[in-house]
Amino acid sequence: MTLTGDTEQVILTERVGRVLIVTINRPRLRNAINLAVAEQLSAAMDVLDWDSGLSAAVLTGAGDCFCAGMDLNAFLRGERPVVAGRGFAGLVESPPAKPLIAAVDGPALAGGFEIVLAADLVVASTAARFGLPEVTRGLVAAGGGLFRLPRALPRAIALEVALTGGELSAEAAHRFGLVNRLVAPGDATAAALALAEQIAANGPLAVTASKRVVVESPGWPAQELFARTRAIAEPVFGSADAREGAAAFTQRRAPLWSGI
């Protein structure tokens, strides 16, 4: 499937089993985000969330750059790559409910790094590098990077990246826990797909509910942690998939998930 803009195919999508592979397709412009990319990436995230046949997605960039951030030429023409309800790139303010894996093979800078930080898991090749260079241009990284970065990295490292505008290597990002899998150049998308397929082999309702608890629980009052977890988990325990999972285990066969 291809999502098209007025003059170019800026987002490509491919289904592999229960996984949606989404590719930002502006390699000549280092996959810079313009309004067409933002709108079509938002549409792809809607497909992911609403299609019961999908369990997870891999997001990557065409060519040798994941994403260099906002398209500054489009910005100077008065364009803002923001989608109502989802924010910059059609993603950072409202990531999908289902798991999203960033496959980074090359630079992920400025808004491109903020997209990575909005993902749930990161697979990067040793050719990847990460940074928020906005301060070097007198700007502020306002796409979530400044509050997501210290959640993903030690505070002092996050501050150094944010305040110097310097870059973080893939090896350092992996050492600090920002990157889940570190692979050879050219292998990031395949490795991310393999990770996504591991997720997609599990009960889809259970996966989505588990992600929700992990994402939302840091903001819950301590005395409400179990009650709020139960409210999310109980519908899963009562689902057809829960019964199927138990039956498949006792019958020593692979489960056939229905998503209900």
Side-chain angles (χ1 to χ4, degrees):
M1 178 173 63
T2 300
L3 300 174
T4 59
D6 293 336
T7 60
E8 59 182 341
Q9 297 177 350
V10 295
I11 291 291
L12 306 177
T13 62
E14 177 186 2
R15 292 170 182 257
V16 180
R18 296 187 62 87
V19 178
L20 183 68
I21 301 176
V22 182
T23 304
I24 305 171
N25 187 42
R26 303 185 80 203
R28 291 179 295 103
L29 297 173
R30 304 182 75 206
N31 297 318
I33 306 297
N34 63 2
L35 182 58
V37 172
E39 290 175 339
Q40 293 166 38
L41 185 52
S42 175
M45 295 301 99
D46 288 343
V47 170
L48 171 64
D49 273 344
W50 291 107
D51 190 328
S52 61
L54 293 169
S55 292
V58 171
L59 176 61
T60 190
D64 59 3
C65 180
F66 176 81
C67 176
M70 184 170 63
D71 185 333
L72 295 181
N73 287 321
F75 175 75
L76 290 172
R77 294 193 299 268
E79 188 176 286
R80 297 288 299 276
V82 173
V83 175
R86 285 204 186 267
F88 170 75
L91 174 65
V92 300
E93 291 185 23
S94 184
K98 295 175 183 177
L100 177 65
I101 303 173
V104 186
D105 203 347
L109 303 174
F113 190 19
E114 292 182 302
I115 291 171
V116 171
L117 291 167
D120 300 298
L121 303 171
V122 182
V123 174
S125 83
T126 52
R129 47 194 174 87
F130 306 91
L132 295 175
E134 282 85 347
V135 291
T136 68
R137 302 290 186 266
L139 302 173
V140 175
L146 294 178
F147 58 78
R148 286 188 170 121
L149 195 60
R151 298 174 186 171
L153 296 173
R155 181 177 181 274
I157 303 301
L159 277 169
E160 182 176 345
V161 171
L163 300 182
T164 67
E167 295 180 359
L168 193 68
S169 70
E171 292 84 354
H174 183 251
R175 185 169 67 251
F176 290 126
L178 171 65
V179 170
N180 296 82
R181 303 276 193 277
L182 187 64
V183 298
D187 290 346
T189 299
L193 176 59
L195 182 57
E197 287 176 332
Q198 279 187 271
I199 294 169
N202 299 319
L205 298 177
V207 166
T208 300
S210 296
K211 172 183 170 176
R212 183 180 172 191
V213 173
V214 171
V215 170
E216 295 182 8
S217 59
W220 295 347
Q223 66 273 22
E224 297 181 13
L225 287 170
F226 282 99
R228 293 197 183 197
T229 298
R230 279 193 295 272
I232 294 170
E234 280 303 320
V236 179
F237 280 104
S239 70
D241 271 357
R243 294 189 294 276
E244 167 63 12
F249 178 80
T250 59
Q251 297 165 16
R252 298 184 180 181
R253 60 173 175 81
L256 298 173
W257 308 119
S258 62
I260 58 175

